[in-house]
């Protein structure tokens, strides 16, 4: 609940104007970024672009979307990670090259972006922004120019230089490409538009909104081109083990999305079930933190037999809290956003379910809210293990100081300390084993870096993960 998110991307190759479909696809991906939005299309030999701050429906006017011609295009919703909230970082980025205009939208974070930037500065390159996405597009164009303008070779050579997470959609002149990093850290899937067309998007929920048929996930390390006939897979350079971000399942993705073959909703429900088995408690009512804890609460209720009730009511017209940034603003936003439902809570022993605790500020306020509304006991159950290490792949959990849970402590000590800090009677986090089982993938094929299990790529001063199967 308390963390911020990375970005959402979409790309379309169609036989008709695509800007309206991209607009609606971006609205379906709005939860992945609310800071800005952009759409770029190819039309009459060049790329045309509309950009704006804020939510998708505020970022553009209706006429801007309608007048954006072209049957091929890409779109982006942004939460600022590397590069900050500077308007120059709004994507898609467009750079002109010998091969024509190149537009790029990126979800993820490049771990070695500072090294690359310094190296390229040293060679006399200059950049318009602080964004790591600009580094990607410039390296791709540079490598293309060294490969007779071949975009596939350019992308492949650039991939050799990039360390980190990246799901990309690109227009290279009139061609549409999509790329997923070799570990598949960020999700990306492919669908068939009706009557004709292909679409790639960060999550399958965007395909559903467009009435597109899900075809498959883009493979980790794959360079895929959307063409008039089909999606052409140019190459797949996967790592021996993938590293799908566990947080996508825990919190980021929409519950109706299916990521790499696993329903997010089912994974969350299983996390709740695991919690009920691992940290049972005597209580009267299970209350989800809406909406992020809903599926977890359902699973907990099913296994524990404790009824689930709407003990917190959400005001849907207030934006998610992380948009506010600082702690004071967060505090104010919380009382606007959630209200306790006394009819459910008063005189009851409450089990409060949520997806994660990062800083603990929000959860402390919610516990306080429930107590004020008459809860006799508040037992907090969390659908992810304690967040202990920063994320270097695009999720805004950057410094260890901000985490309420501290490493090198026994689980019981962490639970007791967090319970005290947020004034809960007890706190229980799902175990890593419970989480991995709930997601239904091998631990070796998931990123668990922020759970202090090592990172899937090299990260300066951090431990690389040790594969259990090796
Ligand atoms: S470190 Fe955590 S949040 Fe970041 S990609 Fe890995 S699992 Fe996801």
């Amino acid at each position: 609940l308390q963390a911020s998110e990375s970005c959402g991307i979409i790309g379309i190759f169609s036989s008709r104007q695509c800007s309206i479909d991209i607009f609606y696809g971006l609205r379906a991906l709005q939860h992945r970024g609310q800071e800005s939005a952009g759409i770029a299309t190819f039309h009459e030999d060049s790329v045309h672009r509309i950009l704006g701050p804020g939510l998708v429906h505020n970022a553009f006017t209706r006429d801007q979307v309608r007048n954006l011609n072209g049957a091929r295009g890409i779109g982006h919703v942004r939460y600022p990670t590397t590069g900050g909230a500077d308007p120059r970082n709004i994507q898609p980025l467009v750079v002109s090259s010998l091969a024509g205009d190149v537009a790029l939208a990126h979800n993820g974070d490049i771990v070695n972006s500072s090294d690359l930037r310094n190296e390229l500065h040293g060679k006399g390159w200059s950049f318009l922004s602080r964004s790591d996405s600009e580094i990607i597009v410039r390296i791709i164009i540079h490598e293309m120019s060294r490969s007779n303008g071949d975009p596939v070779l350019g992308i492949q050579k650039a991939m050799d230089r990039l360390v980190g997470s990246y799901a990309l959609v690109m227009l290279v002149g009139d061609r549409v490409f999509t790329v997923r990093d070799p570990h598949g850290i960020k999700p990306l899937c492919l669908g068939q538009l009706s009557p004709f067309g292909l679409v790639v998007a960060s999550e399958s929920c965007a395909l559903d909104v467009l009435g597109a048929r899900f075809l498959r996930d883009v493979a980790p390390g794959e360079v895929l081109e959307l063409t008039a006939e089909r999606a052409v897979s140019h190459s797949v350079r996967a790592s021996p083990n993938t590293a799908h971000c566990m947080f996508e399942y825990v919190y980021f993705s929409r519950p109706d999305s299916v990521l790499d073959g696993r329903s997010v909703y089912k994974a969350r429900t299983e996390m709740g079930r695991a919690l009920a088995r691992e940290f049972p408690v005597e209580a009267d009512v299970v209350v989800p933190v809406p909406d992020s804890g809903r599926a977890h609460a359902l699973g907990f209720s099913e296994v524990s037999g404790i009824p689930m009730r709407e003990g917190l009511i959400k005001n849907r017209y207030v934006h998610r809290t992380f948009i506010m940034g600082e702690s004071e603003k967060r505090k104010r936003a919380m009382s606007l956003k959630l209200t306790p439902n006394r009819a459910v809570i008063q005189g009851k022993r409450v089990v409060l379910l949520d997806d994660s605790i990062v800083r603990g500020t929000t959860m402390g306020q919610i516990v306080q809210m429930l107590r004020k509304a008459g809860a006799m006991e508040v037992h907090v159950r969390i659908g992810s293990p304690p967040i202990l290490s920063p994320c270097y792949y695009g999720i805004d959990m950057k410094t260890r100081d901000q985490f309420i849970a501290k490493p090198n402590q026994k689980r019981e000590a962490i639970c007791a300390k967090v319970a005290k800090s947020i004034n809960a009677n007890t706190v229980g986090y799902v175990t890593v084993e419970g989480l991995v089982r709930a997601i239904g993938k091998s631990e070796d094929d998931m990123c668990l870096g922020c759970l202090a299990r090592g990172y899937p790529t090299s990260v300066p001063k951090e431990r690389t993960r040790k594969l259990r199967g090796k």
Side-chain angles (χ1 to χ4, degrees), residues 127-295:
F127 296 90
L128 289 170
S129 71
R130 297 291 308 161
S131 138
D132 59 346
S133 310
E134 189 185 350
I135 297 175
I136 300 177
V137 72
R138 288 195 185 275
I139 293 179
I140 289 174
I141 289 171
H142 178 70
E143 295 296 349
M144 269 169 57
S145 69
R146 290 170 17 135
S147 313
N148 292 326
D150 183 338
V152 175
L153 277 177
I155 292 168
Q156 289 167 338
K157 287 184 180 171
M159 287 171 80
D160 292 339
R161 310 214 55 202
L162 302 173
V163 178
S165 66
Y166 49 95
L168 309 175
V169 283
M170 294 179 68
L171 289 171
V172 182
D174 62 348
R175 297 172 73 178
V176 184
F177 290 93
T178 188
V179 184
R180 198 172 177 198
D181 72 69
H183 289 97
I185 297 174
K186 300 290 176 186
L188 194 61
C189 63
L190 172 71
Q192 177 90 54
L193 280 168
S194 175
F196 168 77
L198 291 166
V199 52
V200 282
S202 294
E203 290 182 42
S204 62
C205 65
L207 272 46
D208 294 336
V209 161
L210 299 180
R213 186 164 59 87
F214 176 88
L215 293 176
R216 67 177 175 90
D217 294 291
V218 177
E222 184 168 19
V223 179
L224 193 69
E225 182 174 3
L226 311 187
T227 73
E229 289 81 38
R230 63 196 172 92
V232 179
S233 183
H234 288 290
S235 60
V236 179
R237 291 187 183 177
S239 288
N241 284 86
T242 54
H244 305 306
C245 168
M246 67 88 194
F247 233 43
E248 293 281 353
Y249 295 95
V250 167
Y251 168 63
F252 290 140
S253 290
R254 251 172 56 162
D256 51 339
S257 286
V258 177
L259 311 179
D260 293 298
R262 180 63 166 152
S263 149
V264 173
Y265 185 80
K266 283 190 179 162
R268 284 181 194 165
T269 313
E270 282 305 320
M271 289 167 208
R273 289 168 168 267
L275 266 171
R277 286 188 290 265
E278 292 173 348
F279 292 97
V281 62
E282 295 227 340
D284 305 308
V285 64
V286 172
V287 170
V289 175
D291 293 311
S292 49
R294 215 179 279 284

Side-chain angles (χ1 to χ4, degrees), residues 14 410 442:
S14 171
K410 287 221 158 81
S442 153

Side-chain angles (χ1 to χ4, degrees), residues 165 185-186 243-248 252 387 389-397 446-452 454-456:
S165 66
I185 297 174
K186 300 290 176 186
H244 305 306
C245 168
M246 67 88 194
F247 233 43
E248 293 281 353
F252 290 140
I387 304 298
S389 292
C391 176
Y392 297 93
Y393 304 119
I395 305 304
D396 191 14
M397 306 188 297
M446 287 170 53
C447 178
L448 304 173
C450 53
L451 308 181
Y455 294 90

Side-chain angles (χ1 to χ4, degrees), residues 39-55:
I39 303 174
T41 58
F42 179 84
H43 183 61
E44 291 181 346
D45 291 332
S46 59
V47 168
H48 305 262
R49 181 174 66 151
I50 53 175
L51 304 170
L55 301 177

Side-chain angles (χ1 to χ4, degrees), residues 414-456:
I414 292 178
C415 291
K417 217 169 148 211
V418 173
K420 192 167 173 215
S421 152
I422 63 174
N423 193 24
N425 292 79
T426 63
V427 166
Y429 292 89
V430 77
T431 60
V432 174
E433 294 68 29
L435 173 85
V436 168
R437 257 198 308 277
I439 295 174
K441 297 192 176 296
S442 153
E443 186 173 335
D444 285 349
D445 286 318
M446 287 170 53
C447 178
L448 304 173
C450 53
L451 308 181
R453 294 281 177 130
Y455 294 90

